[in-house]
Amino acid sequence: SDPEEVKIEVVQGDDGVTVCAVYPTGRSGRVNDCAAGSAGHSETRNNDVEVEFVVKVPAGVRFIGRTVNGSVNADGLTTDAEAYTVNGEVSVSTAGAVQATTVNGSIVAKMGRADWKDEMEFSTVNGSVTLTLPANAGADIEAETVNGSIESEFPVTMQGKMSPRHISGSFGGGGRRLLLKTVNGSVHLLKA
């Protein structure tokens, strides 16, 4: 495919800056576009052009990375982050809180603080989930896998029936809700 047909666009919105690779119009005929946040549309078929973004995020700026076919890697961030993909690995390390999902790939995430407000989820279908939290973290946890194992460096007080592939309980006094899920892979909850 012709790399000249793929345009890189930057859109500034009320909540930040969105950077997109805009491919030629896909099979459906709906025009691909770049819009603030997740409002844009991107569809491609039979186009082998690959785009790799290298973004330097200033200190204190929240990062949200989204892609369909590719990995999201973010290291050394100083505030909250989110990372989403469908076919790719997710690796995020931040001094803030992080949330990550993928379908086909593993997740490796490290949070510098564990005082998130809402439910925090890390999920994939084909891959492992490895989450590192500060040693003083506490949460109500639900972790599950179908084909894998569950390991926690935090002592978890179990609730309900004990299973090697599903745990429900709390650690560090509980409080915030934490979901760690995969189908084909293992779950690792580690202390920093």
Side-chain angles (χ1 to χ4, degrees), residues 39-53:
H41 174 75
S42 182
E43 167 195 341
T44 184
R45 188 170 190 86
N46 298 327
N47 191 315
D48 63 357
V49 175
E50 293 182 17
V51 177
E52 180 178 327
F53 291 102

Side-chain angles (χ1 to χ4, degrees), residues 94-167:
T94 182
V98 64
Q99 183 158 296
T101 62
T102 184
V103 176
N104 295 306
S106 291
I107 296 171
V108 177
K110 183 175 182 181
M111 282 200 253
R113 52 174 253 279
D115 60 349
W116 65 89
K117 292 185 172 81
D118 299 319
E119 181 176 271
M120 191 67 70
E121 180 176 358
F122 299 84
S123 65
T124 184
V125 174
N126 297 306
S128 293
V129 175
T130 302
L131 174 61
T132 303
L133 294 174
N136 64 350
D140 294 328
I141 183 172
E142 185 170 339
E144 63 183 56
T145 180
V146 175
N147 299 304
S149 61
I150 299 172
E151 165 196 22
S152 174
E153 291 184 351
F154 291 89
V156 177
T157 302
M158 302 291 290
Q159 297 171 347
K161 187 177 168 184
M162 192 172 199
S163 164
R165 292 192 174 89
H166 180 265
I167 64 169

Side-chain angles (χ1 to χ4, degrees), residues 13 23 59 88 164 171 176 187:
Y23 284 78
F171 63 92
R176 294 163 291 281
V187 173

